[in-house]
Amino acid sequence: MMEKMSELTGRIGKTFGAGDVVFQQGDTGDTMYIIHTGTLAVIRETEGTGTVVARLNPGDFVGEMALVDQEPRSATVKAIEEATLVPITRSFLLKHSAKDTRFVLNLMESLSARLERVDEMLKWRFAESGPPAGPADGPPGDEPRSAAFLKSFSASLDPAALIRVNQGDIIFRTGDAGDVMYIILDGEVHVSQEEGGQRFVQARFGRGHFFGEMALVSGRPRVATAIAAAPSVLMPLTRETFLQKVQTDPEVALHTVQILIVRLRRSLQMLD
């Protein structure tokens, strides 16, 4: 990721001096930022008092919800020391994805890796009782993006390649090798981890959602177990097929990144 960021920094990078404000809480933004060098402070302002809630380092990103909606910024971000940031807007993502599919995979990997870290924290917090039950169709507000994502692949469906599973079937286990992600055409899938004999359900996904995306970007063994919670029809998607689709339809990249961002935001809200 950082190698790719070096290339982008030379083209579109922005430098902020120590104490400079990247964006202010309450601002409307259309840009997320990836940190190439330096450190940023995330400051939540309440009743005139600012509290540092996070410090971000090279490789981290901030302001990612700007790629999803136009809601006001939820915090102020300042440079603790001189920092170079790579700004990513929706239009840049759409334009750049078709030209350089590695960029999409790098961004997916960063988002998925951060999701993994947050899910690990949630696993310990909800080890006994489990997290609050979420809707089967995924995070609130995600339905339009999921529908658009599914529609993008509808024309290229190969009925012979679809996988049909029964309720309770294990699609993959923690530790399995993986080289495909799955799109849910029908049904429901729960992705979970186990700790001390207790099963922690990280996410509940329904029609139009995808899971197992880290197999496309990292090559690492599966970090969770996926189980069909209802009879389901799945479309397996290889890295090659996904990237070919991104090249012909860059909006696939935008919808993929947006869905991952919404998932991340929901997980972070559960930690609050």
Side-chain angles (χ1 to χ4, degrees), residues 5 12 20-21 38 53 62 72 90 126 139 145 166 170 186 191 204 230 232 254-256:
M5 286 305 102
I12 60 172
D20 286 353
V21 174
V53 295
V62 67
R90 292 191 199 193
F126 299 109
R145 280 173 286 276
N166 297 316
I170 295 176
D186 193 26
V191 176
R204 299 165 173 84
S232 303
L254 177 62
H255 293 315
T256 303

Side-chain angles (χ1 to χ4, degrees), residues 155-194:
S156 57
L157 283 178
D158 178 3
L162 301 183
I163 298 173
R164 290 171 171 81
V165 292
N166 297 316
Q167 182 175 353
D169 284 354
I170 295 176
I171 300 156
F172 56 74
R173 298 178 185 273
T174 302
D176 286 352
D179 60 357
V180 298
M181 65 181 272
Y182 298 90
I183 302 173
I184 304 173
L185 303 183
D186 193 26
E188 182 178 343
V189 173
H190 291 182
V191 176
S192 62
Q193 291 184 341
E194 288 190 11

Side-chain angles (χ1 to χ4, degrees), residues 58-193:
D60 289 334
F61 49 86
V62 67
E64 64 277 1
M65 282 302 291
L67 295 186
V68 177
D69 54 40
Q70 300 297 315
E71 293 296 315
R73 301 286 194 182
S74 60
T76 294
V77 173
K78 289 184 178 181
I80 296 176
E81 59 189 10
E82 184 175 287
T84 305
L85 313 180
V86 177
I88 306 293
T89 63
R90 292 191 199 193
S91 58
F92 178 86
L93 180 58
L94 285 170
K95 182 179 178 180
H96 201 70
S97 296
K99 293 181 178 179
D100 187 356
T101 53
R102 292 176 304 160
F103 171 72
V104 180
L105 290 179
N106 288 335
L107 195 51
M108 286 174 62
E109 183 173 16
S110 292
L111 288 164
S112 296
R114 189 164 169 188
L115 261 170
E116 282 184 16
R117 294 195 296 270
V118 175
D119 284 340
E120 184 69 18
M121 291 186 279
L122 285 171
K123 179 180 72 174
W124 289 106
R125 175 170 294 188
F126 299 109
E128 295 184 1
S129 59
D137 287 334
D142 209 9
E143 291 80 3
R145 280 173 286 276
S146 299
F149 181 82
L150 182 57
K151 184 178 179 181
S152 298
F153 289 93
S154 297
S156 57
L157 283 178
D158 178 3
L162 301 183
I163 298 173
R164 290 171 171 81
V165 292
N166 297 316
Q167 182 175 353
D169 284 354
I170 295 176
I171 300 156
F172 56 74
R173 298 178 185 273
T174 302
D176 286 352
D179 60 357
V180 298
M181 65 181 272
Y182 298 90
I183 302 173
I184 304 173
L185 303 183
D186 193 26
E188 182 178 343
V189 173
H190 291 182
V191 176
S192 62
Q193 291 184 341

Side-chain angles (χ1 to χ4, degrees), residues 109 116 213-221 239:
E109 183 173 16
E116 282 184 16
E213 68 280 353
M214 279 298 282
L216 268 65
V217 297
S218 73
R220 293 189 288 112
R239 177 185 179 125

Side-chain angles (χ1 to χ4, degrees), residues 16 19-35 40-45 56 61-66 71-79 85-88 265:
F16 294 82
D20 286 353
V21 174
V22 179
F23 56 76
Q24 192 83 35
Q25 182 171 321
D27 288 351
T28 299
D30 64 352
T31 307
M32 73 170 278
Y33 297 89
I34 302 174
I35 305 172
L40 303 181
V42 181
I43 304 165
R44 193 70 53 82
E45 299 177 1
L56 304 177
F61 49 86
V62 67
E64 64 277 1
M65 282 302 291
E71 293 296 315
R73 301 286 194 182
S74 60
T76 294
V77 173
K78 289 184 178 181
L85 313 180
V86 177
I88 306 293
R265 173 55 59 91

